[in-house]
Amino acid sequence: MIAQTQAERARAEADLHANAGITPRRMSRAEITALVTALGDITTVLRDADLADKAEVYRQLGLRLTYQPETQTVRAAVNLSAHRGVMVCVRGGT
């Protein structure tokens, strides 16, 4: 499953490189729906992943989760440009 996620990421990064320098456009409702549907399997993969693998995926995505014990909430922050254009692997090939 991690390999599939990596392949999807590689395709997305290739699309980013192909579209570099192009003014971004708003996505259509259908495009957003298709994207969310395609990412649906990723939530299952992450839910069932080993904790160390999950932490590495979050790190490579630039995602930081901070637990707030006083309110029992989690604050999520993401750096969208953290690894743009850099292909990385989680624990080698799977």
Side-chain angles (χ1 to χ4, degrees):
M1 290 283 187
I2 297 285
Q4 178 183 355
T5 302
Q6 289 174 332
E8 289 173 6
R9 179 179 176 183
R11 282 192 297 275
E13 287 183 351
D15 288 345
L16 282 175
H17 289 298
N19 294 322
I22 297 174
T23 304
R25 65 168 182 79
R26 298 272 325 239
M27 295 173 66
S28 70
R29 182 177 292 265
E31 289 171 321
I32 293 170
T33 299
L35 178 62
V36 170
T37 300
L39 294 175
D41 290 339
I42 292 173
T43 59
T44 302
V45 169
L46 289 174
R47 183 192 68 221
D48 298 338
D50 174 83
L51 291 178
D53 290 344
K54 191 181 303 191
E56 181 65 12
V57 169
Y58 291 163
R59 184 191 68 74
Q60 290 183 22
L61 289 173
L63 177 64
R64 178 175 293 263
L65 302 174
T66 307
Y67 179 66
Q68 306 292 326
E70 58 279 351
T71 58
Q72 296 184 343
T73 58
V74 175
R75 177 183 169 96
V78 66
N79 179 353
L80 296 176
S81 62
H83 298 285
R84 183 176 230 178
V86 177
M87 187 61 186
V88 289
C89 295
V90 177
R91 289 175 123 206
T94 55

